[in-house]
């Protein structure tokens, strides 16, 4: 009898394999994803594969066609640029609004999450870094208190973040990105509104460059993505 732990580990195996194939551009945009074929390749049943696909769908890396079949979602230069332009505008708004509401407790939560990012970057722990980054942005969104903007930002960032995270790991960018979060936190604590916009733009600009470089590298190897 399969235990919940065993089932969960099989979902994780399928998820990590699919994530690596997609963010490494080996499964290209528009590629249909067969539950049966993936299950056979990984030596698992269809159920954990389906759950992994649903998880990646929520993250924006997989989409469904009109007949409810899974395919790899599109990621193009124009989409990356559009997403980053939107993030610059909305993150600047969110950080500015949060700065006016920040408490000492909030500030400590953000500083602690930055330290966790920095520690994870030092050891190359991509998962721990991503968890700390997610906590950081979720906390800022909650402080700002605009749920509609927060949801839009979450969906937009989720769509491109996995590609950036892969690019940053390869380019040793996790530490410098941790430092950028520290600069943003310092601007919040100081209520330095003038510093927030440029700090957000620099942070998102590095995300944009990392993903575009990765797309260019994939095209050089595989042809136009």
């Amino acid at each position: 009898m399969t235990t919940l732990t065993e089932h969960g580990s099989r979902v994780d195996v399928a998820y990590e394999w699919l994530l690596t194939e997609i963010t490494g551009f080996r499964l290209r945009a528009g590629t249909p994803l067969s539950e049966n074929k993936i299950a056979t390749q990984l030596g698992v049943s269809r159920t954990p594969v389906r759950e992994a696909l649903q998880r990646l769908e929520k993250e924006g890396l997989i989409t469904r066609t009109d007949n409810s079949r899974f395919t790899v979602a599109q990621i193009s230069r124009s989409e990356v640029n559009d997403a980053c332009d939107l993030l610059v505008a909305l993150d600047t708004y969110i950080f500015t609004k949060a700065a006016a509401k920040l408490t000492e407790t909030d500030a400590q939560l953000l500083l602690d999450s930055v330290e966790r990012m920095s520690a994870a970057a030092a050891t190359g722990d991509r998962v721990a870094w991503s968890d700390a980054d997610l906590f950081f942005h979720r906390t800022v969104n909650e402080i700002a208190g605009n749920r509609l903007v927060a949801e839009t930002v979450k969906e937009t960032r989720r769509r491109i973040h996995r590609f950036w995270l892969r690019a940053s790991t390869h380019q040793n960018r996790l530490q410098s990105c941790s430092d950028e979060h520290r600069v943003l936190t310092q601007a919040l604590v100081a209520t330095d509104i003038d510093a927030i916009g440029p700090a957000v733009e620099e942070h998102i600009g590095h995300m944009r460059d990392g993903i575009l470089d990765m797309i260019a590298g994939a095209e050089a190897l595989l042809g136009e993505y």
Side-chain angles (χ1 to χ4, degrees), residues 182-218:
R182 183 174 287 105
V183 170
L184 281 165
T185 302
Q186 290 168 347
L188 284 175
V189 172
T191 321
D192 189 348
I193 305 302
D194 291 337
I196 289 174
V200 168
E201 192 160 356
E202 180 180 13
H203 176 54
I204 301 300
H206 287 149
M207 177 188 290
R208 184 197 309 260
D209 292 344
I211 301 173
L212 292 178
D213 285 348
M214 176 166 275
I215 291 175

Side-chain angles (χ1 to χ4, degrees), residues 108-130:
Q108 192 59 54
L109 284 173
L110 294 176
L111 289 169
D112 288 346
S113 66
V114 169
E115 291 307 317
R116 291 199 301 276
M117 281 185 226
S118 186
T123 60
D125 189 338
R126 186 170 61 183
V127 174
W129 193 95
S130 184

